[in-house]
Amino acid sequence: MGPRGLVQRVDQGWHRSGEGNALPRGARLLVAVSGGADSVALLRLMHAVNGGKYWNWRLVVGHVSHGIRGRAGATDARFVRQLAGELGLRFVERKLRLGKGASEAAAREGRLGALAAMVKGARCAGVVMAHHADDQAETVVMRMLRGCGVEGLGAMAPVTAVGELPIYRPLLGVRRGELRAYLREIGQGWREDETNATGRYVRNRVRAEVLPAMEGVAPGCVEAFGRLAAVSRETWGLVERATEVAWRICVVREGRRRVELDRAGLERVPAVICAELLRRAVERVGGSRENAGYERVTEGVRAVRGQAGGQRIEVGGGVTIAIAREQVVVARRERRKKDHGE
């Protein structure tokens, strides 16, 4: 199948039911376009598919200027604005002031905030992003290197949400090279981001060094990582459903700052469910999943299944897990108010 056949292939894929059916018909959608090859290909593919009148999307082109690339960033914005005009689409932009020293995490947080603001301002159903099969493989590898569990191996889902921002990723089954080949065949240019070549970012090193080495040892590993991510998401879905059932059985009392769980019930469920119950309890009292990391939660599971009570585990954010003989209490300390009379 040649590059032009990619339009038919993605259209057929988006029609199929299941996890990959990520895009709602008849919706106003913000297409996130940086000006790079991946997002430009996404926009051109969606615009081409939409010509068939089945999807009936109302596409809005959204561009985030990060403030990292100086004049090159301004040129990116002009390029995307011009492309939107050529396709007869509305263009919206948000500008950030991150600076050249901004971390990956700061750039991501700023970008998601800007996209959420554009989605709300343009009254869109969500944002469509150009993450593809190679991005998915990179994400899986990065999380494996950090020692993630099943939840982390799920990587990026075709449909998800960050806060109140719905995110659609319809290209997770398409390779990076296919997108570039498609753009070359239709004569569509794109902008290159020089920060993608720097070794400062872990993802860039995984892209340039780690994955090519893996492909040399095991050709087709990018697609294999995609399958691993899909199976992991399905597996984690089973864990979440089992946790819902166990929560109703194990929770003795639930409050805003304190959750009491039946220790005997926690001992009876599998360790992975016990760990997830503890994480959920941490979140319910105002902690975060980052606080309830692997080491602390694993320590909690071991304590629950130990012989004696009386153990207290600090998980961060003022949250503790206290193991008693019959109950496990997850609580967050009250912040002590300053005495203004002092």
Side-chain angles (χ1 to χ4, degrees):
M1 181 182 293
R4 287 187 183 274
L6 186 60
V7 175
Q8 181 180 6
R9 178 179 142 202
V10 297
D11 190 16
Q12 291 173 346
W14 296 343
H15 275 76
R16 285 195 292 270
S17 61
E19 189 184 41
N21 189 17
L23 296 166
R25 291 179 63 188
R28 180 182 287 111
L29 296 169
L30 184 81
V31 185
V33 183
S34 66
D38 302 338
S39 60
V40 169
L42 170 66
L43 178 62
R44 291 302 305 260
L45 284 167
M46 291 190 69
H47 186 263
V49 167
N50 208 31
K53 306 303 180 184
Y54 170 81
W55 293 102
N56 196 30
W57 295 314
R58 290 153 288 163
L59 302 179
V60 179
V61 178
H63 179 76
V64 179
S65 296
H66 291 80
I68 296 175
R69 301 180 62 230
R71 292 182 179 178
T75 304
D76 293 344
R78 286 195 296 272
F79 172 84
V80 177
R81 182 188 294 272
Q82 181 178 345
L83 177 58
E86 292 171 358
L87 298 177
L89 301 175
R90 179 184 174 188
F91 172 83
V92 293
E93 179 184 8
R94 284 273 170 164
K95 297 182 179 181
L96 305 177
R97 293 291 180 266
L98 296 177
K100 291 186 177 181
S103 66
E104 286 182 278
R108 179 180 182 275
E109 184 177 345
R111 180 168 59 253
L112 288 173
L115 290 171
M118 287 189 285
V119 163
K120 184 176 181 179
R123 297 183 179 179
C124 294
V127 60
V128 188
M129 304 184 78
H131 297 116
H132 46 66
D134 295 77
D135 291 325
Q136 184 76 306
E138 292 162 11
T139 301
V140 172
V141 170
M142 289 170 65
R143 293 186 177 182
M144 288 171 61
L145 292 174
R146 293 169 184 163
C148 72
V150 175
E151 182 182 14
L153 288 176
M156 296 181 287
V159 185
T160 189
V162 176
E164 296 183 356
L165 174 65
I167 298 175
Y168 301 95
R169 299 185 179 101
L171 297 181
L172 290 179
V174 181
R175 294 293 305 270
R176 177 185 287 115
E178 294 179 287
L179 297 175
R180 282 157 175 73
Y182 167 69
L183 292 178
R184 292 189 189 99
E185 179 138 340
I186 66 174
Q188 173 64 62
W190 66 83
R191 296 278 297 164
E192 291 288 357
D193 183 352
E194 69 277 4
T195 62
N196 289 332
T198 179
R200 175 187 170 202
Y201 299 119
V202 175
R203 182 177 289 275
N204 290 351
R205 296 192 64 184
V206 170
R207 178 180 303 154
E209 303 170 27
V210 178
L211 268 181
M214 287 181 164
E215 282 275 15
V217 174
C221 70
V222 168
E223 290 82 358
F225 283 129
R227 293 192 295 272
L228 173 61
V231 170
S232 298
R233 286 193 300 276
E234 185 174 356
T235 302
W236 189 250
L238 295 174
V239 172
E240 288 186 315
R241 289 193 287 276
T243 302
E244 287 288 346
V245 175
W247 181 266
R248 293 193 293 269
I249 295 171
C250 293
V251 172
V252 176
R253 190 173 292 104
E254 180 180 354
R256 192 167 58 89
R257 291 182 175 272
R258 180 184 175 95
V259 174
E260 299 176 16
L261 303 107
D262 176 52
R263 183 174 176 183
L266 292 178
E267 290 173 338
R268 285 193 295 269
V269 300
V272 65
I273 305 300
C274 181
E276 191 57 22
L277 286 168
L278 293 178
R279 288 193 185 93
R280 184 169 297 194
V282 168
E283 290 180 297
R284 291 291 173 90
V285 301
S288 68
R289 292 188 76 82
E290 287 72 24
N291 293 144
Y294 174 81
E295 291 184 0
R296 291 302 184 207
V297 169
T298 300
E299 185 181 355
V301 173
R302 285 198 299 264
V304 165
R305 299 184 173 204
Q307 295 300 314
Q311 188 168 349
R312 182 181 297 272
I313 300 165
E314 299 280 346
V315 298
V319 178
T320 60
I321 301 174
I323 316 298
R325 184 177 296 277
E326 296 183 354
Q327 290 187 338
V328 175
V329 178
V330 179
R332 180 162 59 95
R333 291 190 298 271
E334 291 275 3
R335 290 187 177 180
R336 302 178 74 178
K337 296 181 180 179
K338 291 184 179 180
D339 186 349
H340 294 289
E342 292 181 358

